[in-house]
Amino acid sequence: MNAAIALITLVAAGPSAEVQWRVPLPPEATQPRVVGNARSCAFYDPKSGAVMWNSQQRIFRFDPRSKKVVPMGAGSFDEPQIDCGLGLATVHRHNPTTKTSTGDTYDVATGKHLSTVTGWPTRVGRLVMTRDEKLQRKTFTDAVTGEVMWQESLRSEATETLRAPVGEPIWATPKRWLFIIGEEGRHPNDKKGVVDVAIRTLQELKRVHLSDYAFGFDGIVGNPDAGPFAVFEGSNRGSFCTGVFRSDLTRVPGKYFYVTDISKHGILDRDATVRENRDPEFHTIICADSQTGKVRWRAATTQPGKWVGGKVLAGDQLLDGKTGKSLGKLKLPELLGLSQDGKFVGVDGRTLVGGRIRAR
């Protein structure tokens, strides 16, 4: 094996993280901002190898064709985005002189600018949402085309007819739209469900109960278009998984609280000791069957699990996906992106590196 492209190989039969390229970074690009479960402040397109990230209130993009890091101006990913696997990134930019905010959506693979919205943007898939507190109005815009899809009044006493359900989108791709909507179509409240709605017409197609908690939507793990997915709700005290569903919206049996990844190989959850007024103390990965919910194995680790093919990456450990046993350690950069086939991009000091995890 060429030492120039091998980050580390522990033993001949062990796993390795092979670096395939290295690109120097400007100092201002070396501190990526990363946040917690079901959220992202870096956007990675494994098909092209492109990645966009936020560092010191500036946006950078790695162009895989030129192998260059391209500055994209001041901005940030202040609001975590649910990308739904579309390969988009919406940049929040604020003008301190005019005190106005805008959201610019880009195609991560090509760097092409797609649309701009006025206001502080949040995004779920194709839908960019902005609030106008002065006009008491929420606007939903197509992130790709820039078309205004609909608007909702923020006034509780509003009498106008709304085209959209008063709810929260949690998935929006060209194939499917999912919302969280309260009982009787009301804004999400203590009793609410996951609702499959028709694209554009927003007609309710199917509804399943999600939870009776006074929580707000906080993220999604998995791909509802293709298979099981987990819904996270949260408050100012924490975020919890309140439902794992198959693609047809039937619930997967079992209790899940901290799901970190889902694939055809299984559901990866975490077990923790709950501490009052403190973050949970994680100590175990639990792997369950993604259709039946039956627990397959447990592994003692404080790190979250991510599927890499049929293996599980937990921190610097690679685990056997069928048994949970350790296959060895890897030396990895601070990851900006990791695909389920093992491709990765990350920051190693002042260098951007890309490669692939291989289990031998």
Side-chain angles (χ1 to χ4, degrees), residues 14 22 40 44 46 52 61-62 73 80 83 96 104 115 141 157 166 195 202 210 215 237 283 297 313 325 356:
R22 292 178 177 271
S40 179
Y44 175 50
M52 286 179 64
R61 175 180 172 270
F62 170 69
D83 186 51
D104 293 310
S115 66
T141 303
E157 71 277 8
V166 184
V195 182
L202 301 169
L210 174 62
F215 290 159
R237 294 188 176 183
H283 51 72
W297 52 262
L313 182 66
K325 294 182 179 179
R356 184 187 290 274

Side-chain angles (χ1 to χ4, degrees), residues 82-324:
I82 311 301
D83 186 51
C84 304
L86 298 180
L88 306 177
T90 300
V91 179
H92 170 232
R93 305 188 195 276
H94 183 72
N95 187 320
T97 303
T98 62
K99 297 182 180 180
T100 58
S101 292
T102 57
D104 293 310
T105 298
Y106 296 87
D107 179 86
V108 175
T110 64
K112 180 181 178 181
H113 177 263
L114 300 175
S115 66
T116 298
V117 296
T118 301
W120 194 298
T122 60
R123 181 173 64 87
V124 173
R126 287 281 293 253
L127 296 177
V128 178
M129 294 149 283
T130 53
R131 295 168 64 96
D132 188 320
E133 299 297 340
K134 183 177 181 181
L135 297 177
Q136 285 290 287
R137 184 175 62 196
K138 190 174 184 179
T139 300
F140 292 74
T141 303
D142 188 306
V144 174
T145 67
E147 175 190 0
V148 175
M149 304 297 290
W150 70 87
Q151 293 180 322
E152 294 179 1
S153 174
L154 297 176
R155 298 184 180 93
S156 59
E157 71 277 8
T159 58
E160 64 264 35
T161 300
L162 300 178
R163 182 186 173 204
V166 184
E168 295 293 328
I170 64 173
W171 189 261
T173 68
K175 294 182 179 180
R176 192 176 202 183
W177 284 6
L178 296 176
F179 280 70
I180 293 177
I181 306 177
E183 286 188 348
E184 300 177 5
R186 294 190 300 272
H187 190 275
N189 48 31
D190 285 6
K191 294 185 178 181
K192 51 195 174 298
V194 176
V195 182
D196 207 333
V197 302
I199 296 175
R200 289 187 173 268
T201 67
L202 301 169
Q203 177 185 0
E204 186 171 313
L205 302 176
K206 185 174 182 178
R207 174 192 289 257
V208 295
H209 181 258
L210 174 62
S211 77
D212 295 327
Y213 303 120
F215 290 159
F217 172 61
D218 201 46
I220 191 168
V221 173
N223 184 340
D225 288 350
F229 63 98
V231 178
F232 279 76
E233 294 183 274
S235 65
N236 59 354
R237 294 188 176 183
S239 178
F240 308 92
C241 173
T242 52
V244 177
F245 303 91
R246 304 179 184 93
S247 185
D248 64 1
L249 297 191
T250 55
R251 190 180 285 262
V252 178
K255 293 183 178 180
Y256 309 93
F257 297 101
Y258 307 105
V259 175
T260 57
D261 204 4
I262 298 178
S263 78
K264 65 181 180 180
H265 300 290
I267 300 166
L268 296 179
D269 195 13
R270 305 176 80 182
D271 201 0
T273 300
V274 178
R275 302 177 295 177
E276 187 174 357
N277 298 322
R278 298 173 67 186
D279 291 336
E281 188 175 82
F282 296 105
H283 51 72
T284 304
I285 287 179
I286 304 169
C287 179
D289 186 279
S290 58
Q291 292 299 316
T292 67
K294 182 179 179 181
V295 174
R296 291 176 172 172
W297 52 262
R298 297 173 183 267
T301 175
T302 60
Q303 300 300 313
K306 290 288 183 181
W307 286 110
V308 178
K311 307 299 188 293
V312 175
L313 182 66
D316 62 356
Q317 293 266 356
L318 196 65
L319 309 179
D320 187 297
K322 295 182 179 180
T323 65

Side-chain angles (χ1 to χ4, degrees), residues 22-53:
R22 292 178 177 271
V23 176
L25 286 173
E28 61 271 20
T30 61
Q31 299 178 37
R33 178 171 177 256
V34 180
V35 295
N37 185 55
R39 305 180 178 194
S40 179
C41 282
F43 296 89
Y44 175 50
D45 178 58
K47 291 183 180 180
S48 67
V51 62
M52 286 179 64
W53 72 99

